[in-house]
Amino acid sequence: MLAGVAKRMERRRVLYDGEHRYDVVLGEQALYTNVGGAEVMAEQIDRILRDLDLPSLDLGIIAASAPVDMCPVHAFSLHGDEVHLDLVSSGVKVTEPAELALYRKAFGRLSDAALRGEGARKLLHKARDFWAEGGRG
């Protein structure tokens, strides 16, 4: 458990190091998936709100009702010439150029459907209010 916390803290530090850039797209539904209870969820959203304007972060949130011109897909991370898939039992690294192109295209479509800036901030505040009320809406 402590090793996992240390790993997450290390990933978090790179947001501030000035050497990395993160383009993140997530579905609004993720803001309501209760992992850890209402207090934890509210704290996580507060953290995102604090980091939203970092120059190293471009966060887009796809509103639950937004039209997306593709079927939902599993979560993935693009890192240079690799795609990482985190599965329940393992992780998969994709390096085949044709497959990388498909993931870049998928990320582009998802990114195009996402709200940024004030639109993302509104969705975050709405979710924060939900969790501040105990997650009972």
Side-chain angles (χ1 to χ4, degrees):
M1 175 120 164
L2 289 177
V5 170
K7 191 73 159 170
R8 285 189 296 277
M9 293 305 292
E10 179 62 30
R11 284 191 300 244
R12 175 149 178 71
R13 273 192 281 277
V14 299
L15 275 174
Y16 303 101
D17 70 7
E19 297 177 23
H20 296 86
R21 170 131 181 96
Y22 294 90
D23 297 318
V24 179
V25 175
L26 59 95
E28 181 182 8
Q29 299 87 336
L31 302 175
Y32 295 93
T33 302
N34 188 348
V35 179
E39 185 177 332
V40 169
M41 293 301 296
E43 289 171 6
Q44 291 297 312
I45 293 170
D46 285 341
R47 173 71 66 178
I48 295 169
L49 284 163
R50 282 192 299 273
D51 291 346
L52 194 58
D53 294 322
L54 287 173
S56 60
L57 178 64
D58 178 28
L59 174 66
I61 302 174
I62 302 171
S65 61
V68 180
D69 67 348
M70 62 182 284
C71 291
V73 297
H74 53 271
F76 62 92
S77 302
L78 288 165
H79 302 279
D81 290 331
E82 296 180 356
V83 172
H84 294 268
L85 310 173
D86 290 323
L87 307 175
V88 172
S89 63
S90 65
V92 175
K93 181 168 57 172
V94 177
T95 58
E96 171 61 38
E99 290 183 56
L100 288 170
L102 289 173
Y103 278 99
R104 287 188 180 107
K105 184 175 180 179
F107 184 83
R109 286 181 170 180
L110 294 168
S111 187
D112 288 347
L115 297 172
R116 289 179 170 66
E118 195 54 39
R121 193 176 313 282
K122 285 180 182 178
L123 293 176
L124 288 163
H125 281 290
K126 178 180 156 192
R128 174 63 172 87
D129 291 345
F130 174 82
W131 293 113
E133 295 169 7
R136 293 181 291 278

